[in-house]
Amino acid sequence: MNYKAMSKLKYERPLIKKMNAGMMNKFGSQSESTPVTHIDGVSVKSIIEKYGSPVFVLSEQKIRQNYKSAVRAFNTRYPKVQFAWSYKTHYNNAVCNIFHQEGSWAEVVSGFEYKKALGNGVPGSNIIFNGPDKHADEIKLAIENDSLIHIDHFEELYLLIDICSQLDKKARVAIRVNMDTGIYPMWDRFGFNYENGQAWQALNKIVESGKLQLVGLHAHIGTYMLSTAAYGVAASKLCDLAMNCKNELKTTVKYIDLGGGFPSANTLKGAIGLVPTPTVDEFAEVITSTILNYGFKVDELPLLILESGRVMIDDAGYLLGTVLANKRLSDGRKATIMDFGVNIMFTSFWYDHKISPAQEVSQFTEETVMYGPLCMNIDIVRETVSLPLLNRGDHVVVHKVGAYNMTQWMQFIAMRPNIVLIDTNDQTHVIRKAETLDYLQQLEVMPQHLQRNN
Ligand SMILES: *Cc1c(COP(=O)(O)O)cnc(C)c1O
């Protein structure tokens, strides 16, 4: 019983339930009852008062720290390292510009992301254009801007040769290579396969054509990878191709790009306490030692490019929300309805996000199903979470939502909320405004015969 509620007692059917007091729950995890009242130096309450609920919050300080420590992990081990920010992970321009200020290139997988990177002032030569769907006009733009085009399939390779013949300009290209790294299912739908010789065939075609400049080799073997060894295999297979390019095709590959895929410190559903998440340092150790020991001459070591996304930003992002209601389900379980759901927390489909109360709470916790506000059965934020008793109007903080949620969010039933950045001086800035009905209807077109006065 919460004393605030004493004056206005609500009737709840009496029910005998097991309560936990600061103990381990049945999944062996500590209950998430420690209140989180501030993000950086700013109070959660003040953010919600000013910007509404729900609201996404990003810590600029944490993003910069993550970036710097990832760079340090690699450039203390290897002489030439470059990171390229994966736009699809979070392409808000303010966020991209933090990474670009830190020295990151841009990695894009569509025409609009490519144009966003140009708009953010990234020199064309520092943009990596990935993905299976590059349109001819986008490829032309990328060639004119001297960008790095990573070829995904033979159709694209032939298209590039065609376009380069017309433009009389040599595109700077790499191929994306897929391979067996011991992790299954293999991501063999992207790029050219290593084991069956397709990658080597593509490299031959590029060099033979005389129209393209082969500058790199790329792999992105998966996402949320928990195996450092897989990166050792990938690095070694790309090194093998690079050596063969030099010896047999007389072409020196300038860079090896190992893509992204390092895991953030989130908890995969059902994996509580199972697999420890390797650190960026552990990945860096395996990757750099593989390349350094491969047998390149020191002055011919390729540039090492990384396209890390989620590990750079996941833990810099928070979602603040508010309790709408509590309920008992027919089987007696407690349910709490929040004002945020899977519409803006796409990653709740595979993560068990840590959720903390944002104010002092009772020490008693109870297993709770946490629902979102949508009128849709699958809108479940947490299937079971051990939470203290929260009342209508209480706030919570969802942790580690910086990656993918603000690009994969959907406009379904509810509109997308504000995104607020806390800068390194603890000042808050809206970096994307909450959507409005006007905004939603801007692109709608009413045929004449359906107009109201017809
Ligand atoms: C999505 C993506 C990334 C970033 O992946 P993370 O798993 O978030 O690090 C990097 N490169 C390519 C080609 C991608 O598609």
Side-chain angles (χ1 to χ4, degrees):
M1 182 66 60
N2 178 308
Y3 292 97
K4 276 189 299 184
M6 282 292 271
S7 54
K8 213 173 75 185
L9 269 180
K10 281 165 240 152
Y11 178 75
E12 196 182 332
R13 183 165 64 96
L15 198 73
I16 297 169
K17 289 295 295 180
K18 182 168 150 270
M19 302 264 192
N20 307 313
M23 300 180 318
M24 303 284 257
N25 65 19
K26 65 180 168 186
F27 300 103
S29 66
Q30 201 74 37
S31 75
E32 298 167 12
S33 56
T34 314
V36 171
T37 58
H38 287 70
I39 296 172
D40 294 350
V42 187
S43 92
V44 167
K45 197 159 177 272
S46 72
I47 297 173
I48 288 181
E49 272 166 15
K50 191 158 175 198
Y51 302 103
S53 174
V55 56
F56 277 104
V57 177
L58 291 158
S59 162
E60 179 174 347
Q61 183 181 321
K62 188 71 189 154
I63 295 173
R64 290 187 187 273
Q65 277 172 5
N66 288 346
Y67 184 83
K68 287 191 170 85
S69 85
V71 169
R72 195 182 315 114
F74 279 89
N75 71 13
T76 51
R77 294 177 165 92
Y78 193 81
K80 293 189 277 180
V81 178
Q82 179 62 54
F83 276 82
W85 174 239
S86 155
Y87 264 46
K88 77 171 188 293
T89 306
H90 197 133
Y91 46 55
N92 182 285
N93 290 336
V95 167
C96 294
N97 281 351
I98 297 173
F99 286 102
H100 299 321
Q101 276 187 358
E102 289 287 339
S104 187
W105 291 2
E107 184 274 326
V108 302
V109 292
S110 71
F112 94 75
E113 288 186 7
Y114 184 85
K115 287 171 194 159
K116 254 179 166 266
L118 280 183
N120 284 331
V122 182
S125 58
N126 294 357
I127 304 176
I128 296 170
F129 197 173
N130 279 319
D133 179 23
K134 308 179 191 82
H135 306 179
D137 57 326
E138 295 159 359
I139 289 178
K140 272 185 201 141
L141 184 65
I143 295 171
E144 275 154 11
N145 284 292
D146 230 11
S147 298
L148 300 163
I149 303 173
H150 287 185
I151 305 171
D152 186 76
H153 43 75
F154 281 110
E155 316 288 345
E156 193 170 80
L157 201 166
Y158 300 136
L159 178 62
L160 262 158
I161 293 175
D162 252 18
I163 294 174
C164 286
S165 310
Q166 289 165 29
L167 293 182
D168 203 24
K169 185 163 186 218
K170 278 192 171 186
R172 295 159 78 218
V173 302
I175 58 164
R176 176 157 175 182
V177 182
N178 70 65
M179 59 187 74
D180 186 349
T181 60
I183 301 296
Y184 311 100
M186 255 169 77
W187 276 24
D188 57 359
R189 57 168 288 181
F190 301 111
F192 302 90
N193 185 251
Y194 173 84
E195 284 80 17
N196 71 9
Q198 215 178 51
W200 182 237
Q201 201 190 337
L203 293 170
N204 275 279
K205 283 218 167 19
I206 290 170
V207 173
E208 273 166 23
S209 78
K211 302 285 182 200
L212 309 174
Q213 196 190 341
L214 175 66
V215 290
L217 295 166
H218 174 230
H220 172 62
I221 57 176
T223 192
Y224 205 93
M225 303 290 288
L226 294 169
S227 158
T228 55
Y231 283 86
V233 175
S236 146
K237 288 181 176 174
L238 292 188
C239 287
D240 175 62
L241 288 174
M243 284 289 187
N244 289 339
C245 284
K246 177 161 190 268
N247 297 334
E248 295 183 34
L249 303 178
K250 309 296 169 220
T251 303
T252 303
V253 161
K254 294 199 176 74
Y255 67 86
I256 284 181
D257 178 346
L258 279 164
F262 303 153
S264 61
N266 239 312
T267 307
L268 284 179
K269 270 191 195 300
I272 295 177
L274 283 186
V275 201
T277 310
T279 62
V280 177
D281 268 286
E282 290 170 286
F283 287 105
E285 182 58 34
V286 173
I287 292 170
T288 57
S289 62
T290 304
I291 303 174
L292 289 170
N293 295 327
Y294 207 83
F296 293 101
K297 292 193 193 119
V298 175
D299 58 337
E300 286 183 359
L301 276 173
L303 170 71
L304 171 58
I305 298 181
L306 296 141
E307 307 170 341
S308 295
R310 69 177 74 244
V311 75
M312 298 289 207
I313 197 166
D314 220 9
D315 64 357
Y318 303 83
L319 178 58
L320 314 185
T322 305
V323 175
L324 297 178
N326 286 304
K327 277 191 174 181
R328 282 282 162 208
L329 300 178
S330 59
D331 60 4
R333 278 181 306 154
K334 180 165 186 271
T336 299
I337 307 171
M338 305 303 304
D339 65 354
F340 58 86
V342 295
N343 53 324
I344 54 172
M345 248 178 83
F346 201 82
T347 57
S348 57
F349 289 125
W350 50 88
Y351 288 146
D352 279 334
H353 288 285
K354 180 179 162 163
I355 298 174
S356 311
Q359 55 280 302
E360 284 305 323
V361 282
S362 123
Q363 61 168 320
F364 296 102
T365 62
E366 186 178 348
E367 296 291 330
T368 305
V369 195
M370 191 170 265
Y371 291 114
L374 304 181
C375 207
M376 180 177 75
N377 200 38
I378 64 160
D379 190 22
I380 302 172
V381 172
R382 287 287 301 266
E383 268 121 34
T384 174
V385 55
S386 185
L387 273 182
L389 310 174
L390 295 170
N391 295 298
R392 176 175 166 85
D394 281 352
H395 301 312
V396 300
V397 177
V398 187
H399 300 262
K400 298 181 186 134
V401 294
Y404 295 103
N405 291 297
M406 282 157 267
T407 46
Q408 286 186 294
W409 51 2
M410 55 184 158
Q411 180 267 302
F412 177 58
I413 301 180
M415 287 185 274
R416 299 177 179 100
N418 281 312
I419 306 178
V420 172
L421 180 77
I422 303 179
D423 72 18
T424 51
N425 297 316
D426 286 348
Q427 299 299 305
T428 55
H429 310 263
V430 175
I431 59 168
R432 189 178 193 273
K433 291 183 196 163
E435 291 172 346
T436 60
L437 183 58
D438 270 352
Y439 167 82
L440 290 190
Q441 294 183 152
Q442 252 168 35
L443 299 179
E444 290 190 22
V445 182
M446 185 68 72
Q448 180 84 52
H449 71 286
L450 296 176
Q451 287 180 5
R452 248 157 51 110
N453 296 324
N454 252 1

